[in-house]
Amino acid sequence: MEKKNYKDTLNMPKTDFPMRGNLGNKEPLIQERWNEMDLYNLVQKKNEGRPKYILHDGPPYANGSIHAGHALNKILKDFVIRYKNMSGFQAPYIPGKDTHGLPIENALTKKKKVNRKAMSVADFRELCRNYALEQVSIQKEQFKRLGVLGEWDNPYITLDKKFEASQIRVFSKMVERGLIYKGLKPVYWSPSSETALAEAEIEYHDHVSPSIYVAMPAVDTMSKLPKNTKFLIWTTTPWTIPANLAIAVGPEIEYVLVEVDSSKYLIGKSRFEALTELLNWSEPKILQNIFGWELENMTYKHPLYDRVSPIILADYVTLEDGTGLVHTAPGHGEDDFIVGQKYGLGVFCPVDEKGCMTEEAGERFKGLFVEDCNIEVIKALDELGVLLGRFDITHSYPHDWRTGKPVIFRATAQWFANIDSLKGEILQAIQTVKWYPSWGDVRLSNMIKDRGSWCISRQRVWGVPIPAFYTEKDTAILDPKVIEHIAKIFEKEGSNSWFKKDAKELLPKGYTHPDSPNGIFRKETDIMDVWFDSGSSHHGAMMDRGQPYPADLYLEGSDQYRGWFNSSLITGVATENQSPYKTIVSHGFILDGEGKPMSKSKGNGVDPNKVNKTLGADILRLWVASVDYQSDVTLSDNLLRQVSESYRKIRNTIKFLLGNIYDYNDELDRVDFDNLGEIDKYVLIKTNNLVKEVLAAYDDFRFDVVYRKVTNFVTFISSFYLDPAKDVLYIEKADSLERRQIQTVIYKILDTLIRLLTPIIPHTTSESYLHIPNIKEKDVYLLDMPKVEEYDTELEKLYDDFMELREDVLKALEDARNEKIIGKSLKAHLVLYPKGKVANLLEKINVNLAQIFIVSKLDIKTEGFGKYKGNDVSIDVYVAEGFTCNRCWQVVPEVNEDGICPRCQEVIKN
Ligand SMILES: [Zn+2]
């Protein structure tokens, strides 16, 4: 007799959902489908009337292809936007682009070899604009490829006419509040770029500088010190010696007068030993002690010039290095400038914009670049016999982040925003913001506390002009009415009109000023710091588009504490009296597999565009979800491979779930909770717990928790529920209650998983959703997050205890397998000897134990002990005796002539 093939009688999984993701090829097609149905706007429309959730996009700089850091940022934002849109909010996403500034000027002159001098400023700016727009469109496509949905065709761009007009209106409001002024002030100045730099444009690198000790001869010691006293100072910038206008001492610091050979030097007492050794003093004698406060108003003569200057007091003087007497040049240092203001020292700055000494430095130094001037100053001091020591010192020194060259402090006429008068308000505003991570408020508060005035002018051309005019007497005109007139011009013609028109054409018709009797005016040539551009986006991009102020969230890299978070907060508080954001989330930087920063030049970066094409954007997105992004994170091909492995598990589970609901209709076939088996109920409760935990994690921006919870859950249900469920799903009658019970649960698991994962791997969940029978929506993104249900906790507790018993049983089966007692667990016959807790538990639960442990036979004995010991249970494992059923592969006592067990006979009868 021919053996019957019973395979056809099994309910084997059926689905077209492919096992392989093939994401690199498939994602663009999925995105095309999203575009065709206009998914972004469908979602916005669906959420119409819900409270708005505004994540305001920090505009990335439009220069070059996107790198991994951009991808991390945009993907995190997409997580938030998608989650909020599925959680009771309407969360629009308007991407921004930062388009002004030096890098674009440099790209044109250096990369594209544009000869700036051969064209007008307006024409050069036109080239900058075109270049920026090209970059915007390149980056737009790359961002979209990550699966980020938003108003890509309606972004905000800082070079946009309306944005520019809005920006100078923000500036005007600050003028009105009296916060804008022009002053001479030392600022970071880059001789290599010939411009002032913002703090955010500074990088610290090690630099070798000359370290010199100079004796300044006293003039008036107010009878407290001998007349031939010399004040010993120290500096690592000898080129600032010509600009020396004072020596600062600490009021509480103790100083000593030391006699070396026949000279008398004043130094900090605790520096005595260090200086004795460093300067090779033989037999130095301490003649006298004196406190810093007693030195105030003594005078000394500048060794190089016929100039007498005072000793002054300053709190920042320390004895960590140097001599305890601080060389003070108000034109070349922030602290020096501030203390100089207090003592009325004036600002002296004999250095020009190229970093060369001016005539004011004297004939000997005139025209020398600062570093060459160092050498010449040292020589001059040595000739005069006042140089007591000269060394090299390697220290951390500020550099221009773009040219990589050292910067200097240089006093120039600049436009400033006065932060001091706003500081209290800003610090208060910081307290109203929620910070992720929590140290964000301290970080930003400290930066604001330490911040001097904000220098907002730049001596460049590619930016928004400062809308100021000058009279015939050179008085500056900053008039809100005039600025509003300019804003209207910008709105129509863009800011290039400033460079195309002369002052008269820009000023309101018939404008007069008493300082310009002849009606002649000059326009400002400086442009605004680009941080003012992006820093006013709460007006230009949010409020002007009808979005509320403040935004719910700003989410950027941790470098933005000194950048965008900072500048937006200042302009926000200055114009709206409160913070522009309610919440800040910051992320770290991306390091390579060895923990080193990624850089183009080192070639150790992972290119997100390449990953999108090979592994797929969902893998990159899953990686973003897997890391603790609030610190620095590592990214390497190896890590992506690990994430791909997790992805494969998720995908296979989804495929299994899809495969077993092909004949299930959730509306018609769903089994009520009360009619489910206990294990089914338990799994539903665990699924509900997952929902609870994942939603909380999303609310807390902890995507790594989402990732961990979901991957753990997938592992848990696969082995605990889905593997044993095959015995029912495949074997039992298709429409049997037992099978429908499990289908009810796996449908719920599938539905839950793909909703929960839609913010993270939207391509995959979108694809999965379309394979579910009887779906109602065009895309899973049009659904909401699963609801949290209330369940009785008693059953959960029982089965949590059962999980311990399960561990012991699996361990026993594993041991028996290792001892070659059994092969597959389905061939096993288990005997349990429960005691105490376990005996108690087994009385209370109602479950098919053989099925859940995937064995053919299971007995429970109240007497005796088994070979394998567990917690309140011992276990024996035997080979099940009997015949293997040809259909279900269970070992049973009897089978019919076709080799089929009674259970299977019953199933196939119909
Ligand atoms: Zn069977």
Side-chain angles (χ1 to χ4, degrees):
M1 198 173 82
E2 208 179 315
K3 265 206 170 163
K4 261 180 139 178
N5 183 3
Y6 289 99
K7 224 181 153 201
D8 298 341
T9 71
L10 297 174
N11 316 303
M12 292 311 284
K14 265 179 232 156
T15 178
D16 295 333
F17 182 75
M19 186 144 82
R20 276 201 54 220
N22 191 17
L23 299 173
N25 294 322
K26 208 182 294 159
E27 283 170 351
L29 303 176
I30 294 170
Q31 292 173 1
E32 216 175 279
R33 199 169 55 78
W34 292 345
N35 276 342
E36 275 163 17
M37 72 171 95
D38 196 9
L39 181 57
Y40 171 81
N41 282 312
L42 283 182
V43 169
Q44 297 305 310
K45 214 172 283 161
K46 179 208 99 184
N47 293 337
E48 200 67 66
R50 289 177 170 186
K52 276 199 165 36
Y53 185 91
I54 304 299
L55 185 168
H56 179 46
D57 192 37
Y61 196 70
N63 192 15
S65 280
I66 67 166
H67 53 67
H70 287 122
L72 171 69
N73 178 266
K74 278 288 192 281
I75 289 171
L76 286 170
K77 285 171 178 165
D78 200 50
F79 288 175
V80 175
I81 293 285
R82 285 180 182 263
Y83 170 68
K84 292 295 175 185
N85 273 318
M86 295 177 78
S87 310
F89 295 93
Q90 186 188 42
Y93 179 58
I94 301 173
K97 281 281 180 240
D98 200 8
T99 47
H100 288 129
L102 195 54
I104 288 180
E105 289 189 34
N106 284 344
L108 282 169
T109 51
K110 296 199 177 121
K111 268 194 255 157
K112 302 216 160 180
K113 307 280 176 221
V114 169
N115 182 5
R116 269 187 65 166
K117 298 201 169 93
M119 60 181 72
S120 71
V121 169
D123 287 347
F124 180 67
R125 282 173 47 99
E126 207 55 55
L127 293 180
C128 289
R129 181 190 160 81
N130 293 341
Y131 177 84
L133 289 176
E134 261 170 50
Q135 301 299 314
V136 166
S137 84
I138 292 170
Q139 292 189 349
K140 170 177 139 180
E141 292 312 315
Q142 294 174 338
F143 283 137
K144 282 169 80 174
R145 181 59 188 84
L146 296 167
V148 178
L149 289 187
E151 301 188 17
W152 291 108
D153 295 326
N154 187 25
Y156 81 86
I157 304 180
T158 57
L159 58 67
D160 184 76
K161 296 168 191 169
K162 286 199 171 124
F163 190 97
E164 290 176 330
S166 189
Q167 179 177 336
I168 63 169
R169 286 188 176 114
V170 168
F171 178 76
S172 178
K173 280 191 189 174
M174 292 174 71
V175 169
E176 237 168 312
R177 274 190 79 167
L179 295 171
I180 306 295
Y181 67 94
K182 193 162 200 188
L184 201 63
K185 196 176 171 187
V187 292
Y188 284 115
W189 182 272
S190 170
S192 49
S193 310
E194 292 182 36
T195 185
L197 294 180
E199 279 165 65
E201 294 167 319
I202 297 294
E203 277 179 359
Y204 282 82
H205 297 300
D206 278 354
H207 183 72
V208 180
S209 301
S211 160
I212 61 168
Y213 293 82
V214 183
M216 304 287 221
V219 173
D220 180 2
T221 54
M222 305 190 307
S223 313
K224 293 177 193 168
L225 289 169
K227 280 204 158 54
N228 57 353
T229 294
K230 285 170 183 157
F231 298 106
L232 192 57
I233 62 151
W234 171 68
T235 183
T236 56
T237 50
W239 61 268
T240 62
I241 290 282
N244 174 286
L245 293 181
I247 294 171
V249 296
E252 313 289 329
I253 293 174
E254 220 180 321
Y255 291 86
V256 287
L257 187 69
V258 184
E259 189 175 50
V260 185
D261 297 329
S262 54
S263 296
K264 299 186 181 72
Y265 304 116
L266 193 81
I267 59 168
K269 186 180 175 188
S270 67
R271 299 299 299 161
F272 175 71
E273 274 164 23
L275 289 170
T276 298
E277 198 191 321
L278 192 70
L279 302 178
N280 268 327
W281 285 344
S282 60
E283 296 171 30
K285 260 195 306 199
I286 294 183
L287 301 178
Q288 193 183 333
N289 287 31
I290 188 165
F291 275 105
W293 58 267
E294 297 177 87
L295 302 170
E296 191 180 20
N297 296 327
M298 289 184 184
T299 57
Y300 65 95
K301 187 193 158 290
H302 196 296
L304 300 175
Y305 308 98
D306 198 12
R307 191 161 76 217
V308 173
S309 299
I311 307 290
I312 59 174
L313 302 183
D315 290 326
Y316 55 78
V317 177
T318 70
L319 293 162
E320 274 160 36
D321 41 27
T323 63
L325 291 93
V326 176
H327 154 58
T328 300
H332 296 299
E334 176 104 31
D335 285 339
D336 307 40
F337 174 77
I338 293 166
V339 77
Q341 295 289 95
K342 193 171 144 198
Y343 281 93
L345 299 178
V347 179
F348 182 45
C349 177
V351 178
D352 69 12
E353 64 277 2
K354 290 189 169 64
C356 295
M357 306 306 285
T358 64
E359 214 168 321
E360 290 172 300
E363 206 49 47
R364 181 163 185 178
F365 307 119
K366 184 185 146 193
L368 289 178
F369 186 62
V370 287
E371 288 190 11
D372 304 320
C373 182
N374 277 343
I375 297 163
E376 203 54 34
V377 166
I378 291 167
K379 224 189 267 173
L381 293 170
D382 202 19
E383 286 162 14
L384 293 166
V386 296
L387 184 72
L388 296 206
R390 186 231 184 274
F391 310 91
D392 276 341
I393 182 176
T394 304
H395 58 162
S396 177
Y397 188 85
H399 286 66
D400 182 332
W401 76 345
R402 297 204 178 90
T403 62
K405 298 258 169 66
V407 303
I408 59 176
F409 256 104
R410 174 174 176 264
T412 50
Q414 300 287 343
W415 288 101
F416 291 93
N418 179 348
I419 308 293
D420 273 335
S421 65
L422 273 183
K423 249 181 206 175
E425 250 184 279
I426 296 172
L427 291 171
Q428 249 173 353
I430 289 174
Q431 296 310 312
T432 67
V433 176
K434 276 183 95 176
W435 299 90
Y436 299 86
S438 57
W439 47 253
D441 70 332
V442 177
R443 181 130 172 211
L444 189 53
S445 294
N446 286 340
M447 281 181 178
I448 294 290
K449 275 180 205 156
D450 290 347
R451 195 165 179 160
S453 287
W454 175 9
C455 178
I456 56 172
S457 47
R458 293 290 180 276
Q459 290 68 51
R460 310 297 311 184
V461 299
W462 180 229
V464 174
I466 291 176
F469 293 89
Y470 297 92
T471 65
E472 288 165 29
K473 290 185 179 161
D474 228 26
T475 42
I477 303 168
L478 262 192
D479 177 346
K481 275 189 215 117
V482 174
I483 297 174
E484 180 51 36
H485 179 75
I486 302 295
K488 290 214 171 83
I489 297 175
F490 282 10
E491 237 164 22
K492 272 192 222 116
E493 302 170 38
S495 68
N496 218 13
S497 53
W498 184 266
F499 301 90
K500 285 179 181 161
K501 296 174 194 272
D502 60 31
K504 202 135 209 179
E505 292 171 288
L506 289 164
L507 281 161
K509 252 205 175 97
Y511 183 83
T512 58
H513 193 283
D515 284 353
S516 281
N518 306 311
I520 297 168
F521 296 93
R522 180 167 66 80
K523 60 188 180 186
E524 175 60 86
T525 54
D526 286 359
I527 58 164
M528 285 191 207
D529 178 10
V530 284
W531 292 107
F532 204 101
D533 296 19
S534 56
S536 61
S537 65
H538 39 66
H539 278 71
M542 269 164 53
M543 294 163 83
D544 288 1
R545 293 192 180 209
Q547 292 187 341
Y549 182 103
D552 291 284
L553 177 65
Y554 280 27
L555 191 167
E556 303 298 333
S558 53
D559 51 339
Q560 300 305 330
Y561 286 100
R562 61 175 185 172
W564 193 54
F565 297 157
N566 200 312
S567 60
S568 299
L569 182 66
I570 293 167
T571 56
V573 169
T575 55
E576 301 300 317
N577 305 312
Q578 59 170 323
S579 160
Y581 37 76
K582 292 182 194 163
T583 304
I584 288 284
V585 173
S586 69
H587 60 79
F589 287 94
I590 302 187
L591 311 174
D592 69 9
E594 282 158 20
K596 296 197 183 98
M598 288 191 176
S599 82
K600 245 188 202 162
S601 53
K602 278 189 213 134
N604 63 342
V606 172
D607 178 3
N609 302 306
K610 226 155 107 191
V611 177
N612 288 339
K613 275 189 204 137
T614 53
L615 297 171
D618 273 6
I619 299 299
L620 198 58
R621 296 175 68 111
L622 199 58
W623 166 78
V624 171
S626 74
V627 295
D628 176 11
Y629 68 87
Q630 290 178 8
S631 312
D632 289 347
V633 296
T634 50
L635 174 60
S636 63
D637 291 337
N638 200 22
L639 282 167
L640 285 172
R641 264 196 296 278
Q642 288 173 31
V643 171
S644 302
E645 192 51 34
S646 291
Y647 175 84
R648 209 180 50 78
K649 278 185 195 150
I650 294 170
R651 187 170 181 99
N652 281 350
T653 303
I654 290 175
K655 181 175 168 64
F656 179 84
L657 298 170
L658 281 169
N660 285 290
I661 53 162
Y662 61 89
D663 62 338
Y664 172 83
N665 181 326
D666 194 52
E667 277 176 16
L668 306 175
D669 302 322
R670 190 193 315 134
V671 179
D672 288 343
F673 186 79
D674 291 340
N675 294 326
L676 293 173
E678 288 188 356
I679 292 283
D680 304 326
K681 288 181 183 170
Y682 179 65
V683 169
L684 275 189
I685 292 170
K686 287 296 176 199
T687 308
N688 188 53
N689 290 350
L690 173 76
V691 172
K692 224 185 298 180
E693 290 164 352
V694 164
L695 297 189
Y698 270 125
D699 282 330
D700 227 17
F701 308 103
R702 288 295 305 272
F703 312 113
D704 57 332
V705 175
V706 174
Y707 173 82
R708 220 172 42 242
K709 295 282 176 193
V710 168
T711 48
N712 288 346
F713 179 80
V714 164
T715 307
F716 160 73
I717 52 148
S718 294
S719 67
F720 175 71
Y721 191 64
L722 302 179
D723 282 348
K726 289 172 189 167
D727 186 56
V728 174
L729 290 167
Y730 302 173
I731 310 294
E732 293 295 335
K733 241 178 82 200
D735 60 354
S736 65
L737 174 66
E738 256 193 298
R739 188 157 174 273
R740 291 297 190 222
Q741 286 173 326
I742 290 179
Q743 284 182 313
T744 299
V745 175
I746 63 177
Y747 184 91
K748 180 69 185 172
I749 293 172
L750 173 67
D751 181 71
T752 300
L753 275 181
I754 69 171
R755 287 178 199 235
L756 291 180
L757 285 172
T758 290
I760 312 266
I761 45 172
H763 304 93
T764 303
T765 58
S766 180
E767 183 193 5
S768 316
Y769 180 71
L770 298 184
H771 286 86
I772 299 178
N774 311 308
I775 48 167
K776 299 261 156 45
E777 300 293 346
K778 287 183 179 168
D779 193 90
V780 61
Y781 190 22
L782 290 159
L783 300 174
D784 279 343
M785 282 290 157
K787 296 253 172 322
V788 177
E789 314 276 351
E790 286 301 322
Y791 288 118
D792 181 20
T793 53
E794 199 120 321
L795 183 87
E796 186 186 359
K797 273 190 216 128
L798 272 181
Y799 277 87
D800 282 345
D801 290 343
F802 174 74
M803 294 304 285
E804 285 175 32
L805 169 63
R806 181 176 173 268
E807 287 297 308
D808 288 336
V809 170
L810 294 186
K811 176 83 178 26
L813 286 168
E814 177 72 27
D815 289 349
R817 218 180 347 260
N818 290 337
E819 292 164 31
K820 308 265 193 275
I821 295 172
I822 53 161
K824 280 187 174 169
S825 78
L826 197 53
K827 302 278 180 205
H829 170 196
L830 270 182
V831 181
L832 304 185
Y833 304 86
K835 305 278 183 266
K837 229 171 56 190
V838 172
N840 219 344
L841 174 72
L842 290 178
E843 269 171 35
K844 287 187 191 154
I845 60 173
N846 177 15
V847 62
N848 182 343
L849 289 173
Q851 190 177 76
I852 202 78
F853 297 140
I854 321 182
V855 296
S856 278
K857 190 172 180 206
L858 185 141
D859 291 322
I860 293 173
K861 291 196 173 161
T862 46
E863 306 269 309
F865 293 93
K867 177 178 169 188
Y868 305 102
K869 308 281 183 262
N871 197 3
D872 265 358
V873 68
S874 56
I875 301 155
D876 276 329
V877 180
Y878 306 104
V879 177
E881 284 177 23
F883 308 91
T884 302
C885 171
N886 269 339
R887 184 169 174 271
C888 68
W889 306 111
Q890 297 246 14
V891 180
V892 289
E894 52 172 317
V895 292
N896 67 6
E897 66 274 20
D898 291 332
I900 298 298
C901 76
R903 173 173 81 140
C904 287
Q905 289 171 39
E906 189 62 30
V907 173
I908 56 182
K909 208 163 62 187
N910 310 311

